[in-house]
């Protein structure tokens, strides 16, 4: 197989490593492309294309992550990963595990780790690389990588909810939620929300977002009651999708342009968290992006006219 063919075959894996490292579709794609450029500039062919490209994309991602942390400290409002509608790396035997590892909740937990811990965790725990391969990729000893993996697992386990939802039950509950949302069934929505449900949005200062997180079922219901009918009245579209491997939706304007995405965290039989990404910089890979300010203005006018 020619090197370019090997690279194309490995591309889904490389993107999936980089995305879990960076939480950014555009930065992950750039890291993958940079790994090919580094291959082209290398003088000797690697013994293993997979080992070479995986190591290079990991090192690039570590460097990007270190610089990104400074930018994220200056970010306006909550920072969420860019929404991912389809993970290109497929493994039918591990599909559920891979989907969980790319969820918004998991990626936000990964943000708590150091870049090296994050790299070791992603390579070892998500993609099953041996410690020898991990050590080569991050340029540390195997004992050091085992220590990093142990620290990362401890941090990740400490942040996970105690009661994970069965995937079938979770998807069924999400389906009921979005059906009720489309129908404007406020009572039906209330039944599916946890008492302390959290609504939080990432606008990055570039799009309208909730001024602060909305906590509690009563305040969440007020938001839904004010939003639903005006949004659909102006031709808004709710497209139910898996977002980051979890139940979610893409909201579009009447022209089909992307307004924002939602992801739902479902535990213990209730929706615990709804995360909205409305920052236009994070939505361009999903499709043409709407003017969210214009959508909000039109929705507000529609609500006043009722």
């Amino acid at each position: 197989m020619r090197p370019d063919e090997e690279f194309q075959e490995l591309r889904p894996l490389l993107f999936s490593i980089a995305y879990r490292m960076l939480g950014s579709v555009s930065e992950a794609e750039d890291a993958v492309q940079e790994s090919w450029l580094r291959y082209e500039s290398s003088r000797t062919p690697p013994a293993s294309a997979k080992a070479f490209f995986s190591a290079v994309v990991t090192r690039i991602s570590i460097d990007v992550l270190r610089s990104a942390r400074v930018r994220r400290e200056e970010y306006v409002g909550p920072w969420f990963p860019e929404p991912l509608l389809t993970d290109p790396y497929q493994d039918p035997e591990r599909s559920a595990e891979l989907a969980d590892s790319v969820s918004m909740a998991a990626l936000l937990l990964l943000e708590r780790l150091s870049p090296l811990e994050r790299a070791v965790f992603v390579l070892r725990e998500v993609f099953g690389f041996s410690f020898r391969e991990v050590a080569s990729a991050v340029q540390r000893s195997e004992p050091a990588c085992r220590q990093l993996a142990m620290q990362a697992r401890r941090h990740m386990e400490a942040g996970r909810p105690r009661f994970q939802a069965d995937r079938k039950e979770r998807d069924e509950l999400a389906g009921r939620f979005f059906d009720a949302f489309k129908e404007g069934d406020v009572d039906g929505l209330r039944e599916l929300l946890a008492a302390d449900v959290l609504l939080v949005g990432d606008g990055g200062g570039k799009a309208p977002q909730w001024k602060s997180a909305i906590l509690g079922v009563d305040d969440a219901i007020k938001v839904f009651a004010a939003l639903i009918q005006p949004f659909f009245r102006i031709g808004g579209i709710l497209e139910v999708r898996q977002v980051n491997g979890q139940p979610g939706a893409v909201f579009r304007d009447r022209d089909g342009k992307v307004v924002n995405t939602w992801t739902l965290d479902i535990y213990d039989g209730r929706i615990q968290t709804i995360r909205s990404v409305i920052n236009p910089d994070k939505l361009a890979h999903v499709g043409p992006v709407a003017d969210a300010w214009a959508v909000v203005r039109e929705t507000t006018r529609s609500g006043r006219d009722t």
Side-chain angles (χ1 to χ4, degrees):
M1 186 182 295
R2 298 199 317 268
D4 59 326
E5 293 174 333
E6 285 187 292
F7 174 71
Q8 291 302 327
E9 189 172 274
L10 289 166
R11 196 178 191 109
L13 170 64
L14 302 178
F15 173 86
S16 294
I17 291 172
Y19 177 77
R20 285 166 174 81
M21 287 281 294
L22 300 170
S24 166
V25 171
S26 56
E27 289 178 344
E29 290 173 342
D30 288 346
V32 172
Q33 190 58 36
E34 177 64 21
S35 71
W36 171 253
L37 296 177
R38 293 192 186 184
Y39 170 84
E40 287 190 309
S41 64
S42 63
R43 295 183 177 180
T44 56
S48 165
K50 179 182 177 182
F52 174 86
F53 284 116
S54 299
V56 171
V57 84
T58 297
R59 293 169 197 164
I60 293 170
S61 297
I62 289 172
D63 290 340
V64 173
L65 190 57
R66 284 171 174 157
S67 64
R69 291 207 158 190
V70 176
R71 299 196 305 272
R72 290 174 191 175
E73 288 174 0
E74 301 171 351
Y75 195 80
V76 178
W79 179 94
F80 294 154
E82 292 180 10
L84 185 69
L85 300 189
T86 304
D87 187 354
Y89 181 73
Q90 302 295 324
D91 182 346
E93 293 183 359
R94 300 180 60 243
S95 60
E97 184 180 352
L98 288 168
D100 287 342
S101 74
V102 82
S103 70
M104 285 279 181
L107 293 175
L108 289 171
L109 283 176
L110 283 170
E111 283 289 302
R112 303 180 184 182
L113 308 182
S114 72
L116 275 177
E117 287 174 336
R118 190 163 182 165
V120 169
F121 184 88
V122 168
L123 292 177
R124 175 64 183 171
E125 302 298 324
V126 178
F127 294 102
F129 282 62
S130 69
F131 275 112
R132 180 176 60 80
E133 293 170 319
V134 174
S136 175
V138 302
Q139 299 177 307
R140 294 293 189 276
S141 68
E142 287 189 43
C145 288
R146 291 180 186 276
Q147 181 68 21
L148 287 165
M150 183 177 68
Q151 291 168 188
R153 282 195 300 269
R154 186 166 61 245
H155 287 306
M156 293 295 286
E157 289 302 322
R160 293 187 193 279
R162 290 184 57 194
F163 303 103
Q164 296 280 9
D166 174 82
R167 294 185 69 82
K168 183 178 179 181
E169 292 178 1
R170 182 201 67 186
D171 291 345
E172 188 271 337
L173 190 150
R176 289 165 53 202
F177 173 82
F178 286 120
D179 285 345
F181 193 95
K182 292 176 182 178
E183 294 167 4
D185 180 2
V186 174
D187 290 335
L189 292 171
R190 182 185 290 275
E191 291 178 2
L192 303 172
L193 299 175
D196 58 349
V197 63
L198 177 67
L199 277 61
V200 61
D202 174 352
K206 299 183 179 183
Q209 66 186 75
W210 298 305
K211 291 183 179 180
S212 60
I214 295 166
L215 179 65
V217 65
D218 290 337
D219 286 344
I221 289 297
K222 289 177 184 176
V223 170
F224 295 153
L227 167 69
I228 294 173
Q229 289 187 0
F231 177 74
F232 289 119
R233 191 177 296 116
I234 67 169
I237 302 164
L238 188 160
E239 176 186 314
V240 178
R241 295 288 299 270
Q242 290 283 303
V243 181
N244 286 78
Q246 308 296 309
V250 178
F251 288 80
R252 301 179 184 272
D253 68 8
R254 65 165 64 89
D255 298 319
K257 293 181 178 180
V258 179
V259 178
N260 66 330
T261 64
W262 278 15
T263 54
L264 311 183
D265 283 354
I266 298 173
Y267 307 117
D268 200 22
R270 291 288 186 273
I271 295 169
Q272 306 286 342
T273 306
I274 299 175
R275 295 187 179 90
S276 166
V277 176
I278 196 169
N279 183 341
D281 294 345
K282 296 187 175 186
L283 299 172
H285 63 282
V286 179
V289 180
D291 180 347
W293 292 106
V295 171
V296 168
R297 286 194 296 269
E298 190 175 1
T299 301
T300 301
R301 285 197 300 269
S302 175
R304 286 200 301 262
D305 293 341
T306 57

